[in-house]
Amino acid sequence: MELIKGHEIPQASLAIVDALNQAVAETTVTTMLAQNFHWNVTGMAFGPLHDLFQRIYEDHFEGQDDLAERIKAIGGHAQGTLSGMVARSKVEEHEGEATDREMIAAMAIAQETLAETLIGACDIASEKNDKLTEDLCIGRAREHEKFAWMLKSHLA
Ligand SMILES: [Fe+2]
């Protein structure tokens, strides 16, 4: 049986796959960071911060899955080990012992780092004319910039 020909999946490019794996790694590390802060945050703003960190890790859990599945759709290998993700991530792990303001600042930096990584991935996808990866990365970067704004608004 012949495969139905229609939309052509772009040729897997090592540069795109690598950029997406970088984004998966940093999104996964930030997912854990948000859950860590969701558990350990203290202070008078406990309720809303507990909820905001939950909203972040729920968003990121879906985000990392979408990015990894895009790697598979273009024929690449999704790197799925935690040790490998932590090793390559520009977002760093955190012990979870900090004031609420320090947690907000650390999470804002993580969101800005993620936005930057995704915009870089978007540029690579654009060079290769991979519009669907580009669109995915634009959407993810937009979410991270929104979270960065929400977090930094607490510190104004
Ligand atoms: Fe919870």
Side-chain angles (χ1 to χ4, degrees), residues 4 7 21 23 31 35 42 63 68 72 87 89 111 115 121 138 147:
I4 296 165
H7 174 71
N21 271 316
T31 304
Q35 197 162 28
T42 55
K72 299 312 298 179
S89 173
Q111 295 302 320
I138 288 170
F147 283 130

Side-chain angles (χ1 to χ4, degrees), residues 22-98:
Q22 184 68 31
V24 171
E26 291 178 5
T27 308
T28 302
V29 171
T30 308
T31 304
M32 191 67 244
L33 186 69
Q35 197 162 28
N36 179 346
F37 290 169
H38 166 80
W39 295 329
N40 289 305
V41 70
T42 55
M44 287 304 291
F46 171 82
L49 288 176
H50 181 70
D51 290 349
L52 177 58
F53 289 132
Q54 178 167 347
R55 193 171 150 193
I56 292 172
Y57 76 66
E58 285 175 351
D59 168 84
H60 290 20
F61 189 76
E62 278 186 33
Q64 43 155 309
D65 193 47
D66 289 343
L67 292 163
E69 288 177 0
R70 182 65 192 156
I71 294 172
K72 299 312 298 179
I74 61 173
H77 174 71
Q79 292 176 351
T81 65
L82 288 174
S83 57
M85 291 178 188
V86 171
R88 74 184 295 168
S89 173
K90 291 200 291 289
V91 175
E92 292 180 13
E93 292 192 291
H94 194 290
E95 288 302 323
E97 290 179 287

